């Protein structure tokens, strides 16, 4: 079911450095800090750095799962294909659908801050105007839609420019934050412990929001069919991306807790990073960090578009969604039908979002809802790798830890925060999160009855499908080991 039907995507368009940039941009460090810090602090207070720390550990397990699964099945659908071929096609479809729905919701959750930040560069009073923010955000979204439509090479060039400026500004302010003297609080190492969580449910709520921070690095797997030496490159880039954004998240979340008061954080729920910039560098600081957030938001709109359109492309190709979604543009080698459909749906959601409230209110519910959906498809991928490599896990301690135990821990953690957080979320967040997943049952059952080959999969078994030139020595039987270098353009 992973074979191309008809014209495929542009092979070998991206290299290792390109995919690392895409992984970092997918997690959108500046946007995540600006849009999510107030939500995280509101949920767990001074335990926000701890929530990011303890979510990073299982998230690395999920990144390992994506890395190992990508070595034995190169597919633009990523977890949609892997879960379907290991656990069950129904679970595979739900995994892919969870990504499609969460990414589509993010079109609103991401575009509104892009519009708001753009307006605040000219007039801070306009930033709270939801209608105007929607219009400007929609304009940015359309621009990114056209960039993604133009092909993988154009996409990564735009990404290098936007993410390069963003990361440069963040690095500068990370240094400024460390030497800043005007503090609202004194840093305490207990912020990295468990003492500030309000019980188990409080920890789960914080972890669910933290999962949203990290979400997006797996765009590298959706680009696997367009990446050179993708069986190694996409997984490596994902792991590097998680490590980089973890450091940025911790530095800036601690800086927010140290430098800003609780009132400042609460009253600037969609613009925390700009307030932090003004405190660190009055006058210019806020503007520069607004630019960083704006670029980060626009950049992650691009990576999210890639994820959802490549997932829909894989579904269309497998006939689990309308086959037209699997069509590729002759000149640009992009899934143009999927891109057009996603663009139309997202623009309709922009209009509907005006009735939901302020930018901050929309973000809070959307982040929690997306967190639930992320937990589902990350958790299923963590289980899938254990099943796919089950016959090879006990050949060495490394196999057992990195290919089995750590991903399994990541999967169980994701499922736990999903269940545990349900009791503390708003009705709107639960309705969006669970309801969005439930809608996926309609196309799943329809195309199952239509006889899609996806529902009669070739089982994914690493012991049978793995190739010695793509897998670490630990995963290759002793008698068949062949010395291989690590081809890379890094």
């Amino acid at each position: 079911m992973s074979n191309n039907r008809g014209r495929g995507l542009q092979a070998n368009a991206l290299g290792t450095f390109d995919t690392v940039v895409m992984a970092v941009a997918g997690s959108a460090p500046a946007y995540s800090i600006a849009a999510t810090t107030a939500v995280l602090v509101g949920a767990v207070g001074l335990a926000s750095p701890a929530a990011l720390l303890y979510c990073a550990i299982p998230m690395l397990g999920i990144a390992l799962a994506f890395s190992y699964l990508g070595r034995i099945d190169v597919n633009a659908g990523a977890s949609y294909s892997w879960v379907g071929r290991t656990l069950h096609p129904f679970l595979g479809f739900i995994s892919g659908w969870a990504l499609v729905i969460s990414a589509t919701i993010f079109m609103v959750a991401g575009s509104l801050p892009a519009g708001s930040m753009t307006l605040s560069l000219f007039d801070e009073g306009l930033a709270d105007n939801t209608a105007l923010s929607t219009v400007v955000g929609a304009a940015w979204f359309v621009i990114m839609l056209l960039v993604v439509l133009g092909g993988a090479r154009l996409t990564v060039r735009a990404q290098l420019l936007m993410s390069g400026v963003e990361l440069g500004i963040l690095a500068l302010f990370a240094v400024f934050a460390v030497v800043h003297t005007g503090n609202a609080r004194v840093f305490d190492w207990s912020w990295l412990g468990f003492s500030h969580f309000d019980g188990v449910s409080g920890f789960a709520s914080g972890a669910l929001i933290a999962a949203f921070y990290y979400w997006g690095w797996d765009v590298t797997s959706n680009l696997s069919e367009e990446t050179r030496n993708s069986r190694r490159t996409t997984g490596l880039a994902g792991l590097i991306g998680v490590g980089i954004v973890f450091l940025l998240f911790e530095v800036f979340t601690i800086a927010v807790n140290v430098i800003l008061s609780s009132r400042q954080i609460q009253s600037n729920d969609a613009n925390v990073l700009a307030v932090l910039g003004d405190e660190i560098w009055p006058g210019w600081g806020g503007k520069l960090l607004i630019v960083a957030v704006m670029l980060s938001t626009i950049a992650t709109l691009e990576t999210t578009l890639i994820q959802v359109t490549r997932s829909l492309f894989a579904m269309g190709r497998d006939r689990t969604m309308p086959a037209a979604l699997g069509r590729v543009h002759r000149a640009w080698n992009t899934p143009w039908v999927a891109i057009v459909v996603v663009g139309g749906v997202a623009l309709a959601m922009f209009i509907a979002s005006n009735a939901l409230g302020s930018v901050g209110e929309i973000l809070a519910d959307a982040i929690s809802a997306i967190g639930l959906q992320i937990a589902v498809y990350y958790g299923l991928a963590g289980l899938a790798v254990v099943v796919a490599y089950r016959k090879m896990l006990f050949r060495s301690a490394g196999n057992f830890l990195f290919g089995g135990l750590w991903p399994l821990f990541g999967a169980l953690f994701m499922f736990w925060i999903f269940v545990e957080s349900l009791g503390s979320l708003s009705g709107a967040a639960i309705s969006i999160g669970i309801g969005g997943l439930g809608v996926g049952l309609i196309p799943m059952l329809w195309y199952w009855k239509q006889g899609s080959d996806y529902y009669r999969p070739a089982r994914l078994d690493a012991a049978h499908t793995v190739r010695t030139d793509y897998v670490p020595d630990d995963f290759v039987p002793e008698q068949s080991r062949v010395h291989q270098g690590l081809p890379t353009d890094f």
Side-chain angles (χ1 to χ4, degrees):
M1 79 183 184
S2 61
N3 294 331
N4 287 338
R5 296 191 181 99
R7 189 178 183 86
L9 302 171
Q10 184 178 2
N12 301 320
L14 307 179
T16 305
F17 181 74
D18 300 331
T19 51
V20 170
V21 171
M22 297 300 283
V24 174
S27 292
Y31 164 77
S32 297
I33 296 164
T36 318
T37 299
V39 180
L40 183 61
V41 171
V44 297
L46 293 177
S48 46
L52 291 167
L53 171 63
Y54 297 122
C55 191
I57 298 170
M59 189 61 71
L60 280 172
I62 302 302
L64 285 167
F66 272 70
S67 176
Y68 282 118
L69 288 166
R71 292 169 184 172
I72 56 176
D73 183 18
V74 175
N75 192 295
S79 62
Y80 155 80
S81 174
W82 305 331
V83 174
R85 295 181 64 187
T86 53
L87 303 181
H88 193 279
F90 284 0
L91 292 176
F93 183 88
I94 290 300
S95 180
W97 184 258
L99 172 56
V100 169
I101 291 297
S102 58
T104 303
I105 294 172
F106 181 78
M107 302 304 173
V108 175
S111 295
L112 285 176
S116 179
M117 291 292 173
T118 303
L119 291 170
S120 67
L121 288 173
F122 303 98
D123 186 344
E124 292 185 5
L126 295 176
D128 293 326
N129 187 321
T130 304
L132 194 55
S133 295
T134 301
V135 172
V136 177
W140 280 122
F141 172 78
V142 170
I143 293 172
M144 288 300 100
L145 197 74
L146 295 174
V147 170
V148 172
L149 183 63
R153 294 187 188 279
L154 176 61
T155 299
V156 78
R157 287 169 184 165
Q159 196 61 253
L160 287 169
L161 175 62
M162 293 184 291
S163 295
V165 175
E166 172 203 353
L167 293 176
I169 294 174
L170 288 180
L172 177 66
F173 276 85
V175 175
F176 287 171
V178 170
V179 300
H180 184 70
T181 56
N183 299 334
R185 301 179 188 86
V186 177
F187 171 73
D188 193 317
W189 286 104
S190 67
W191 295 357
L192 298 173
F194 288 94
S195 60
H196 291 283
F197 288 108
D198 185 17
V200 174
S201 61
F203 175 77
S205 297
L208 185 73
I209 297 167
F212 176 80
Y213 271 83
Y214 292 105
W215 176 55
W217 55 265
D218 50 305
V219 65
T220 60
S221 296
N222 297 107
L223 286 167
S224 60
E225 295 183 31
E226 299 158 89
T227 303
R228 292 192 293 276
N229 192 25
S230 63
R231 293 179 188 269
R232 288 184 184 274
T233 301
T234 56
L236 174 65
L239 288 164
I240 294 173
V242 172
I244 291 173
V245 297
F246 164 72
L247 293 175
L248 289 172
F249 290 155
E250 284 291 0
V251 167
F252 278 93
T253 303
I254 290 173
V256 166
N257 279 343
V258 168
I259 296 173
L260 301 184
S261 66
S262 298
R263 179 176 296 178
Q264 285 176 301
I265 297 171
Q266 293 170 4
S267 60
N268 295 278
D269 50 4
N271 199 23
V272 168
L273 208 54
V275 179
L276 179 68
D278 278 332
E279 288 289 332
I280 294 175
W281 186 1
W284 282 97
K287 295 291 184 183
L288 284 174
L289 281 178
I290 286 175
V291 170
V293 175
M294 183 182 71
L295 290 173
S296 178
T297 309
I298 297 166
T300 200
L301 279 177
E302 183 185 80
T303 59
T304 307
L305 275 166
I306 290 171
Q307 285 195 281
V308 68
T309 55
R310 268 47 172 191
S311 296
L312 288 173
F313 163 76
M315 291 175 165
R317 185 174 60 188
D318 290 338
R319 307 298 197 271
T320 58
M321 290 285 280
L325 295 172
R327 293 179 185 169
V328 174
H329 195 279
R330 289 185 176 276
W332 301 323
N333 294 101
T334 51
W336 69 273
V337 176
I339 292 171
V340 170
V341 169
V342 169
V345 171
L347 289 173
M349 291 177 65
F350 293 152
I351 297 172
S353 68
N354 282 277
L356 298 178
S358 69
V359 174
E361 290 170 347
I362 294 170
L363 283 176
D365 287 335
I367 287 168
S368 297
I370 291 171
L372 290 174
Q373 293 155 358
I374 294 168
V376 169
Y377 87 86
Y378 276 175
L380 289 173
L383 294 181
V385 72
V386 177
V387 174
Y389 282 88
R390 65 191 180 281
K391 298 177 183 177
M392 309 176 75
L393 294 179
F394 294 99
R395 293 182 181 175
S396 75
N399 291 4
F400 181 75
L401 175 61
F402 299 116
L405 185 61
W406 203 339
L408 179 61
F409 168 68
L412 295 177
F413 183 85
M414 292 297 163
F415 291 137
W416 176 76
I417 61 175
F418 177 91
V419 174
E420 189 66 30
S421 62
L422 288 176
S424 59
L425 294 180
S426 68
I430 293 175
S431 298
I432 296 170
I434 305 298
L437 292 175
V439 171
L441 297 176
I442 299 172
M444 183 184 77
L445 294 175
W446 173 262
Y447 285 98
W448 170 62
K449 289 184 177 181
Q450 298 299 310
S452 167
D453 290 343
Y454 175 85
Y455 295 104
R456 297 185 297 274
R459 305 302 295 177
L460 191 60
D461 186 342
H464 295 144
T465 60
V466 80
R467 290 176 54 186
T468 59
D469 54 340
Y470 288 132
V471 181
D473 286 346
D474 280 350
F475 275 101
V476 182
E478 187 72 34
Q479 66 271 22
S480 63
R481 287 185 182 173
V482 178
H483 175 71
Q484 295 288 337
L486 180 61
T488 179
D489 62 345
F490 194 55

